[in-house]
Amino acid sequence: MNFFSLPKIDLHCHLDGSVRPQTIIDLAQIQSLSLPSNNVEVVRELMIAPETCSDLTEYLTRFDLPLQVMQTEHALERISYEVFEDAAKENVKYLEVRFAPLLHVTQGLTIQQIIAAVVKGMKRAERDYDIHGNYILCILRTMTKERINEVIEEGAKWLGNGVQAFDLAGAELPGFCHDFIEYTHYARSKGFHVTIHAGEQGDGQNVQDAVQLLHAERVGHGIHIINHNGGYAAVKNNRIGLETCPSSNVQTKAVNDLQSHPAKRFYEQGLAITINTDNRTVSNTTMTQEVQKVCELFSLSAEDYRIIYLNSVEQSFASHDVKNYLRQCIDE
Ligand SMILES: [Zn+2]
């Protein structure tokens, strides 16, 4: 298989983890911010997480640098455009990017300005390249809860017009879902789809809760249902999409190594596995590399890849028309 030319779909990609190092340098100059270095390779090294971190928390420190420059509408629009551009240039046909608007308010931007800027960048890329996209709005579980409803209300104005879903991200504590029932209920009442990071650091009970309490339609990672019957059954019986991010899962020690990743077993058992980048820069990867790694390591055939691609189409929050287009892409 030529992994570069294959059509690809990325459903799990964080905006702040996918910024080009050179863009950090450019934006820091424009904004008169000083960086530890203006050498692109040094900045790249500061952004890439080690092959294996001590845990997810260490991995998450790699987002500090990009977030410093992502506090203006201009920066957000540019970075959004470039993520879609980079993906389009490796034949990603559909990309769902997620980010937490509340991480971009430190210089006074409103939530409305923040969402408008990233959607504008995405739409500019959609006009320039053969790619479609949508945004997912994240809440970090470690944040105070006072502005969550504001994010939902401002985001709802963009539903069907660049925003499609609601997500909970960041450090994963046992039983976290119980604290967010009212918020995901509110988001769903406004028309948001729901995907939840669960079963990455935490156990399969979090996945079961995400499905049963928060009505998640997809789960970010979900690895630890492998040894939790309730979580596994919730995913299997409800055909919940699993957003697998192979390189990231090794870096954060969600799995010991790629060989022991349960993606192949899940695939063979008929779960709706998808392959995604998580963070193009922080995980130092591309969709081409993620697909290649999984296909080669697990000896997947072109037909296996087609099934996984079609899982991504089915599980995406794209419109009916875009889904039809994406199905055509793999059959050409
Ligand atoms: Zn993630």
Side-chain angles (χ1 to χ4, degrees):
M1 279 186 276
N2 181 331
F3 297 100
F4 180 81
S5 63
L6 278 177
K8 291 175 283 289
I9 293 174
D10 189 351
L11 301 180
H12 191 128
C13 177
H14 291 262
L15 185 66
D16 52 0
S18 303
V19 185
R20 295 177 191 163
Q22 184 59 52
T23 297
I24 302 275
I25 295 170
D26 293 351
L27 291 172
Q29 266 167 7
I30 292 167
Q31 299 173 18
S32 306
L33 296 173
S34 62
L35 295 175
S37 167
N38 281 328
N39 179 301
V40 70
E41 289 313 316
V42 175
V43 171
R44 189 188 308 279
E45 285 304 312
L46 290 170
M47 295 173 73
I48 296 173
E51 187 71 18
T52 59
C53 298
S54 54
D55 57 15
L56 181 66
T57 306
E58 184 187 351
Y59 183 83
L60 294 177
T61 63
R62 301 292 155 152
F63 297 82
D64 295 348
L65 194 56
L67 284 170
Q68 281 180 40
V69 303
M70 296 173 77
Q71 303 297 333
T72 70
E73 290 170 287
H74 164 261
L76 289 166
E77 197 274 350
R78 172 172 168 174
I79 289 167
S80 176
Y81 179 87
E82 289 177 351
V83 171
F84 281 89
E85 180 178 54
D86 290 345
K89 285 183 169 175
E90 55 154 344
N91 292 305
V92 173
K93 299 298 181 191
Y94 179 77
L95 171 61
E96 287 179 5
V97 178
R98 60 188 74 198
F99 82 122
L102 293 173
L103 292 176
H104 305 278
V105 298
T106 61
Q107 285 175 31
L109 289 182
T110 65
I111 293 170
Q112 193 55 215
Q113 286 173 316
I114 292 163
I115 298 171
V118 298
V119 170
K120 189 176 169 198
M122 175 183 78
K123 289 187 173 181
R124 182 159 66 91
E126 285 179 321
R127 288 194 298 274
D128 289 352
Y129 294 98
D130 177 20
I131 190 165
H132 295 275
N134 275 304
Y135 265 92
I136 297 170
L137 305 184
C138 303
I139 295 296
L140 296 193
R141 290 175 279 228
T142 45
M143 286 173 165
T144 64
K145 296 190 173 62
E146 57 202 17
R147 295 189 73 184
I148 297 178
N149 285 346
E150 191 187 344
V151 171
I152 293 168
E153 284 154 16
E154 294 301 311
K157 297 173 185 169
W158 293 90
L159 286 173
N161 188 26
V163 171
Q164 286 291 57
F166 180 82
D167 174 35
L168 298 174
E172 183 187 346
L173 294 174
F176 75 87
C177 292
H178 293 271
D179 297 333
F180 291 93
I181 293 171
E182 64 181 290
Y183 301 103
T184 47
H185 179 79
Y186 187 49
R188 291 175 64 241
S189 77
K190 291 281 185 185
F192 282 85
H193 289 285
V194 174
T195 176
I196 303 287
H197 282 75
E200 180 186 17
Q201 304 303 306
D203 69 11
Q205 183 64 48
N206 281 348
V207 177
Q208 185 175 349
D209 291 349
V211 174
Q212 293 177 345
L213 301 178
L214 306 184
H215 302 280
E217 298 153 76
R218 302 193 324 228
V219 166
H221 310 293
I223 293 163
H224 296 299
I225 61 169
I226 189 81
N227 42 30
H228 188 279
N229 291 338
Y232 185 92
V235 166
K236 176 137 194 170
N237 297 341
N238 296 288
R239 193 146 178 88
I240 301 300
L242 290 177
E243 302 162 358
T244 298
C245 307
S247 295
S248 163
N249 293 156
V250 174
Q251 285 174 309
T252 62
K253 288 212 166 80
V255 292
N256 289 332
D257 52 40
L258 207 53
Q259 194 71 50
S260 55
H261 200 293
K264 173 91 183 286
R265 271 168 285 171
F266 290 161
Y267 170 70
E268 288 170 344
Q269 292 159 0
L271 301 190
I273 280 282
T274 65
I275 301 172
N276 312 278
T277 56
D278 208 4
N279 296 286
R280 297 176 66 94
T281 308
V282 173
S283 287
N284 192 24
T285 195
T286 60
M287 270 305 291
T288 304
Q289 289 179 44
E290 295 303 297
V291 169
Q292 181 162 6
K293 270 187 188 180
V294 172
C295 288
E296 290 184 348
L297 183 67
F298 296 127
S299 305
L300 299 184
S301 66
E303 179 56 19
D304 292 324
Y305 176 70
R306 185 174 169 277
I307 290 168
I308 291 171
Y309 175 94
L310 291 173
N311 285 342
S312 296
V313 177
E314 172 201 346
Q315 295 290 338
S316 77
F317 299 135
S319 67
H320 187 70
D321 286 351
V322 169
K323 285 189 179 191
N324 280 341
Y325 172 70
L326 295 172
R327 287 190 192 98
Q328 287 168 23
C329 291
I330 194 79
D331 287 327
E332 274 170 2

